[in-house]
Amino acid sequence: MLISELLSSNRKITEDTNASPRPDYAPSFGYRSQAGELVTIEKSQSIATAHRAKNIISDDVAKIPFQVMQKIGRSIKQVEADPITRNMAYLLSVSPNIWGWTPFQFKKASIEWQLFYGNNYIWNPSVGPRQLLILPANRTYPVFDLDGNLWYRHTFSNNQVAYIPAVEILHQLINPDSTGFIGRGVITFARETFGRQLAANKTQSRLYSQGMMPAAYIQMSGDLNAEARKKVRTSYEEQMAGSENAYRLAVFDDKITKFEPINMNMKDAQFLESIDANDRDICNFFGLSEHMLNRGKEAYNSNEQKYLEYLQGTLDSYLVPWEEAARIRWLSRDEQRTQYFKFIREALLRMDSKARAESMAIRIQNGMMTPNEGREKDDMSAYPDGDVHYMAGNILPIEKGVMNE
């Protein structure tokens, strides 16, 4: 089934070129950095630090349960998944589309588009079974028609161009441009850092391929034409290039009057320091602490404290906009009165068994949850009379207290 068949209509609107925002970047084709490297999405992910940073953020967002909550008066409960109606609770907790994607797969792919392209487009077609589809950000753009209506122009894999109504698209973005309608990914701002790191990696690889001898010059007796110089160079490289030939003895005949290696001390040239500095910059671009990418020293007293800072300083900038946008795009106006979306952030706060038990006990003893609610968090069955709230008996409300003069 072609996803283009899910179009509610295939209107050919007239774009308002003056009002429609235009991307000021070209991540698909890449940027030419001052280091001389072409920085593309694929190349930037070949950098170990950038690849790891992308996976940490996207994996952690994908691991957090995304639930539909309902609040009526002071009663708050989770909306149950319904496979018959395929409500949003089902799409987000069981499978988002008819191809059998898992919620983890769906959330991870969404964030990865957002990280590198700056935009993530989730399509909720009004035709066919209810489902959530991710439209490639490199082939989808927001546009306005002459009446000021917002549409999303998408080119499908069969090269069919279609305009999808804005009401069917949930558009998430980071680093918005001046129009506020188009986001810009990490690569837009980190292009020079990525370029330097790609150039450094290439230099390092060439160093090994040349047998740890970066360069040398040979002085020959007599004049050589271009072909002769090429033959001498090729002959030398065949004997000395490659890590298996490192530090081998070079033997020359009497036609070579002088051989002078051009040695470069990588440490003195601050080569290794520059690679390290680039990695630190990449950590900052992604908003991650160095120890999370196996760099630096961890300075936290507990896992919970570490993840709490990471959650508030990095992940919430992806979670909160998604929660807010989902309420607007995925719920009807009537549903918006009582329902909302929530990432269960507690799933990310890692506590050891002792700290978790103490936290649970404090909540139960202070009437914040029942014993059965605590057992449910550990996937344990409820027990009779376990739905009672408890409170310490030596604490009473002021208005019911007895004061003795």
Side-chain angles (χ1 to χ4, degrees), residues 163-349:
Y163 294 91
I164 303 174
V167 69
E168 297 182 10
I169 301 291
L170 187 151
H171 179 194
Q172 299 179 84
L173 66 159
I174 56 174
N175 306 316
D177 63 3
S178 58
T179 69
F181 285 95
I182 293 181
R184 293 168 292 184
V186 173
I187 190 174
T188 308
F189 303 95
R191 70 183 79 174
E192 292 301 330
T193 300
F194 287 167
R196 288 195 301 270
Q197 200 71 330
L198 289 169
N201 291 342
K202 181 182 290 186
T203 300
Q204 199 172 35
S205 297
R206 286 180 175 175
L207 177 67
Y208 290 127
S209 70
Q210 296 300 321
M212 296 300 290
M213 297 186 66
Y217 75 88
I218 298 175
Q219 185 173 328
M220 308 286 293
S221 60
D223 296 329
L224 299 179
N225 57 26
E227 182 64 26
R229 289 196 296 270
K230 182 178 179 181
K231 291 179 64 175
V232 172
R233 182 184 300 109
T234 300
S235 177
Y236 175 78
E237 289 178 348
E238 287 177 353
Q239 296 296 320
M240 302 303 297
S243 58
E244 69 278 3
N245 291 322
Y247 303 110
R248 287 187 64 185
L249 178 66
V251 179
F252 304 106
D253 56 27
D254 58 0
K255 294 182 181 179
I256 297 177
T257 59
K258 187 176 183 180
F259 172 81
E260 185 71 29
I262 304 175
N263 295 318
M264 180 178 67
N265 188 313
M266 305 302 281
K267 186 72 174 178
D268 292 344
Q270 297 182 336
F271 183 75
L272 298 179
E273 287 85 346
S274 67
I275 293 179
D276 189 66
N278 291 336
D279 278 338
R280 284 196 302 271
D281 287 343
I282 292 173
C283 291
N284 286 326
F285 277 117
F286 281 95
L288 294 176
S289 300
E290 290 187 51
H291 69 268
M292 297 189 71
L293 286 90
N294 300 320
R295 295 175 42 83
K297 183 179 180 181
E298 184 175 351
Y300 293 88
N301 296 324
S302 69
N303 283 335
E304 183 182 11
Q305 181 183 356
K306 173 181 69 176
Y307 277 97
L308 185 61
E309 180 174 327
Y310 164 55
L311 177 63
Q312 295 175 346
T314 302
L315 290 189
D316 266 344
S317 60
Y318 300 95
L319 304 181
V320 173
W322 200 342
E323 292 169 333
E324 295 175 345
R327 190 174 190 180
I328 298 172
R329 283 286 184 257
W330 293 346
L331 296 177
S332 65
R333 290 188 178 181
D334 185 58
E335 291 173 329
Q336 290 173 11
R337 293 170 47 250
T338 58
Q339 296 184 18
Y340 60 95
F341 293 84
K342 181 181 180 181
F343 280 97
I344 309 303
R345 292 161 173 79
E346 290 182 355
L348 194 68
L349 300 179

Side-chain angles (χ1 to χ4, degrees), residues 6-22:
L6 299 174
L7 290 169
S8 57
S9 65
N10 195 11
R11 283 184 55 187
K12 296 296 183 181
I13 70 167
T14 301
E15 294 185 31
D16 187 343
T17 56
N18 294 323
S20 297
R22 287 288 180 264

